[in-house]
């Protein structure tokens, strides 16, 4: 039997951007009340969503911000009504959505517990019977007679959570409320959820904590822009959601890359123009700039001690495109720890040359060089480079921990004279389910002997 059932549910909100009146009199005097009360547009928070939660099941709802998760929970709680479709719920509901809603700041925590408990459907006697348990769970015994306005935000939320959790509902609705206290209190909340599951209660959980969904939920639903994308096994649903998130991140990083290269190219041109003006001025004053590199003066570049984005070089050999490829040889900027990664440079040499070096460096967000190399360091002797060419730097297993990284790519002469240097213009992201720290994650395993045990 289903405890919760949504059938073809849509929820549409209206947006108003007309003039706002402070009083009814001012609105009537303007003679445009009806016109200003017409909605300018509508916004579908949910569109034709259907799902059912069986009695005794813990059901997770995931999705990015604005996907309709909280709207779905409020429909189940009866806080708002669907525009179309039907919502059915069997049994008493307790909604952990707006914790402490209805608390009066001027009266004590004790009085607020009674008022809030009655609002949630308990009788005064039932609140009295559970009062000590509520106060002890909230860890507010010595503050319970103080006015709620003197509580910290954590104390306020803990009291609201404790009241809502002790209503003894048949259906518990939870909307991202596990960050209501310290680590110890969070574990108490999770233990309480576990107790609810053992007692056969139905739990509808909305959260951004994907490990929590995989750990606690029997089934899961993924919402995206108000549409139900997929539902079923939590692991499968979470994996599908993460795949979509990674695609979005990759598209965003690709856009950022294009913008960074464009900005760096413009800044490099401006820097080159300033250098040329300075050289003309020096010639006019009869001063000769110091030259090197076989009569070439190295193009101006930013201070090497500062890790700032930029592009510089003579462009005699130009890097015209940089693309990252994943394990399936598809362009991407999001990878998983240990995946193979390839970085491809497309080049154009205006004139044939036998003096060239290709280089790659990877940096973490703090500017620490995780790895750097070039063809000169790896004893590759240049012979010829002409016209259009491609260079691919292939990594069999990129063992970096979860995080965001930036890449330098460059082509220069053997003495360091830059043809085309791209500093920190390319960003990629590493994903990992492991909570490692540092930069590098070597392949490893744990071995134990003797009486050493861990929970499975």
């Amino acid at each position: 039997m289903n405890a919760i059932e949504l059938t073809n549910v849509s929820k549409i909100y209206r947006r108003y951007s007309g003039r706002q009146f402070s009083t009814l009199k001012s609105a009537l005097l303007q003679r445009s009340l009806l016109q200003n009360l017409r909605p300018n547009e509508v916004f579908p928070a949910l569109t034709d969503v259907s799902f059912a939660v069986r009695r005794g099941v813990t059901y997770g709802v995931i999705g990015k911000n604005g996907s309709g998760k909280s709207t779905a929970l409020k429909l189940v709680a009866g806080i708002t009504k669907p525009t179309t479709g039907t919502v059915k719920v069997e049994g008493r509901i307790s909604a952990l959505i707006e914790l402490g809603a209805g608390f009066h700041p001027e009266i004590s925590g004790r009085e607020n517990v009674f008022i809030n408990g009655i609002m949630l459907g308990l009788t005064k006697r039932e609140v009295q019977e559970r009062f000590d348990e509520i106060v002890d769970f909230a860890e507010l015994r010595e503050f319970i007679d103080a006015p709620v306005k003197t509580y910290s935000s954590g104390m306020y939320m803990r009291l609201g959570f404790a009241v809502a959790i002790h209503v003894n509902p048949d259906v518990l609705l939870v909307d991202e409320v596990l960050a209501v206290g310290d680590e110890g209190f969070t574990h108490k909340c999770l233990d309480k959820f576990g107790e609810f599951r053992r007692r056969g209660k139905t739990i509808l959980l909305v959260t951004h904590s994907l490990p929590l969904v995989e750990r606690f939920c029997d089934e899961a639903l993924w919402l995206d822009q108000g549409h139900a994308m997929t539902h079923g096994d939590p692991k499968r649903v979470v994996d599908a959601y993460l795949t979509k998130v990674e695609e979005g991140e990759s598209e965003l990083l690709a856009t950022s890359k294009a913008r960074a290269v464009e900005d760096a190219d413009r800044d490099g041109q401006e820097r080159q123009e300033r250098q040329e003006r300075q050289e003309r001025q020096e010639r006019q004053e009869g001063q000769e700039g110091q030259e090197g590199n076989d009569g070439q003066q190295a193009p101006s570049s930013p201070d090497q001690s500062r890790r700032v984005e930029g592009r510089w070089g003579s462009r005699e050999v130009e890097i015209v495109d940089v693309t990252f490829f994943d394990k399936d040889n598809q362009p991407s900027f999001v990878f998983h720890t240990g995946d193979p990664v390839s970085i491809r440079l497309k080049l154009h040499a205006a004139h044939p040359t036998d003096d060239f070096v290709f280089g790659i460096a990877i940096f973490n967000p703090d500017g620490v060089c995780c790895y750097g190399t070039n063809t000169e360091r790896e004893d590759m002797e240049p012979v010829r480079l002409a016209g259009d060419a491609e260079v691919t730097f292939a990594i069999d297993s990129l063992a970096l921990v979860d995080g965001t990284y930036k890449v330098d790519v460059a082509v220069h002469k053997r003495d360091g004279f830059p043809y085309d240097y791209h500093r920190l213009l390319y960003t990629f992201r590493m994903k990992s389910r492991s909570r490692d720290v540092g930069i590098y994650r070597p392949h490893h395993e744990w071995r134990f002997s003797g009486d050493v045990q861990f929970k499975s």
Side-chain angles (χ1 to χ4, degrees):
M1 181 177 178
N2 293 329
I4 302 170
E5 189 172 345
L6 275 71
T7 306
N8 304 121
V9 169
S10 295
K11 179 62 179 178
I12 297 175
Y13 290 103
R14 295 174 175 82
R15 288 176 175 168
Y16 298 87
S17 59
R19 180 176 175 181
Q20 299 299 309
F21 297 102
S22 56
T23 65
L24 177 61
K25 180 180 178 181
S26 63
L28 293 173
L29 289 174
Q30 292 291 330
R31 297 184 180 180
S32 60
L33 178 61
L34 294 178
Q35 178 179 348
N36 282 282
L37 288 179
R38 291 178 186 146
N40 294 80
E41 57 181 316
V42 293
F43 171 73
L46 288 175
T47 304
D48 198 28
V49 172
S50 299
F51 68 89
V53 182
R54 290 175 288 111
R55 181 168 293 176
V57 165
T58 300
Y59 197 92
V61 182
I62 63 174
K64 64 181 182 179
N65 290 330
S67 62
K69 304 186 300 298
S70 295
T71 298
L73 213 61
K74 289 175 180 178
L75 288 170
V76 174
I79 295 173
T80 185
K81 298 296 182 183
T83 305
T84 60
T86 59
V87 178
K88 296 179 181 179
V89 183
E90 296 290 337
R92 173 188 281 180
I93 298 174
S94 180
L96 305 183
I97 299 176
E98 298 291 341
L99 291 180
F103 278 3
H104 195 296
E106 298 295 335
I107 62 178
S108 69
R110 181 185 299 273
E111 294 167 305
N112 272 298
V113 167
F114 279 89
I115 294 172
N116 209 245
I118 292 170
M119 288 174 59
L120 290 173
L122 297 178
T123 65
K124 185 176 181 180
R125 174 174 291 182
E126 287 174 325
V127 176
Q128 184 68 53
E129 291 171 350
R130 303 173 194 184
F131 181 80
D132 289 338
E133 191 177 351
I134 291 171
V135 174
D136 290 339
F137 190 91
E139 303 172 2
L140 292 173
R141 174 66 63 182
E142 52 187 302
F143 303 104
I144 195 62
D145 290 311
V148 166
K149 67 180 180 182
T150 64
Y151 288 7
S152 68
S153 57
M155 294 165 67
Y156 187 91
M157 301 298 275
R158 291 206 310 269
L159 187 60
F161 186 95
V163 174
I165 207 77
H166 285 87
V167 172
N168 193 28
D170 300 304
V171 177
L172 180 65
L173 310 179
V174 186
D175 187 4
E176 203 70 72
V177 296
L178 291 181
V180 297
D182 55 24
E183 190 73 12
F185 189 79
T186 299
H187 285 303
K188 284 176 62 175
C189 297
L190 294 176
D191 290 343
K192 197 69 177 178
F193 288 152
E195 178 188 328
F196 268 65
R197 294 186 69 194
R198 290 191 297 272
R199 290 163 53 191
K201 304 293 186 180
T202 305
I203 301 175
L204 183 60
L205 172 67
V206 166
T207 181
H208 289 287
S209 176
L210 303 183
L212 186 67
V213 172
E214 292 180 324
R215 176 183 171 188
F216 273 94
C217 295
D218 303 302
E219 298 179 46
L221 168 71
W222 167 27
L223 290 176
D224 186 57
Q225 295 182 343
H227 295 270
M229 304 301 292
T230 187
H231 65 91
D233 177 68
K235 182 69 168 64
R236 180 177 61 82
V237 173
V238 167
D239 286 345
Y241 170 63
L242 288 176
T243 299
K244 180 66 174 180
V245 169
E246 289 173 8
E247 290 175 359
E249 288 181 341
S250 189
E251 292 173 2
L252 179 62
L253 290 172
T255 303
S256 300
K257 163 207 160 183
R259 189 183 306 115
V261 172
E262 181 181 345
D263 292 344
D265 198 34
R266 182 174 60 252
D267 293 342
Q269 291 176 355
E270 293 174 354
R271 188 162 50 246
Q272 185 68 23
E273 291 172 0
R274 288 196 301 270
Q275 183 178 356
E276 291 174 357
R277 286 197 299 269
Q278 183 179 356
E279 289 174 355
R280 286 197 298 269
Q281 184 178 356
E282 288 175 350
R283 284 197 297 270
Q284 291 172 359
E285 295 174 354
Q287 298 176 352
E288 294 184 358
Q290 184 178 1
E291 293 187 349
N293 300 309
D294 300 327
Q296 287 181 303
Q297 183 172 346
S300 173
S301 62
D303 181 1
Q304 295 288 332
S305 65
R306 295 172 56 230
R307 300 301 306 175
V308 294
E309 294 182 359
R311 181 181 186 183
W312 60 88
S314 66
R315 305 288 179 92
E316 294 167 87
V317 179
E318 184 176 5
I319 300 172
V320 295
D321 181 67
V322 177
T323 307
F324 292 67
F325 292 91
D326 62 16
K327 61 183 179 181
D328 299 319
N329 202 34
Q330 296 298 314
S332 180
F333 289 93
V334 179
F335 309 97
H336 293 267
T337 298
D339 278 358
V341 176
S342 297
I343 305 173
R344 186 191 67 193
L345 281 62
K346 285 189 175 182
L347 308 161
H348 177 74
H351 305 285
T353 179
D354 60 0
D355 188 1
F356 55 90
V357 177
F358 303 112
I360 296 279
I362 300 173
F363 296 85
N364 74 356
D366 298 324
V368 176
C369 183
C370 306
Y371 180 72
T373 189
N374 62 37
T375 53
E376 177 80 7
R377 291 179 180 274
E378 300 191 25
D379 300 323
M380 298 184 190
E381 187 78 21
V383 176
R384 176 180 170 83
L385 173 63
D388 296 324
E390 289 186 3
V391 175
T392 299
F393 182 71
I395 305 171
D396 292 335
S397 176
L398 187 55
L400 296 174
V401 302
D402 189 285
T404 300
Y405 297 85
K406 286 186 172 290
V407 174
D408 283 8
V409 298
V411 54
H412 54 79
K413 287 189 173 185
R414 300 181 72 178
D415 63 6
F417 178 87
Y419 288 134
D420 198 359
Y421 196 111
H422 297 201
R423 170 178 281 177
L424 305 179
L425 299 185
Y426 307 99
T427 303
F428 69 92
R429 195 156 290 153
M430 297 300 299
K431 296 283 189 177
S432 175
R433 293 293 186 94
S434 301
R435 294 177 293 177
D436 305 291
V437 296
I439 297 173
Y440 171 59
R441 189 176 199 273
H443 179 72
H444 64 275
E445 62 177 325
W446 293 90
R447 297 190 183 97
F448 306 97
S449 61
D451 190 8
V452 182
Q453 301 180 24
F454 292 91
K455 184 185 292 186
S456 61

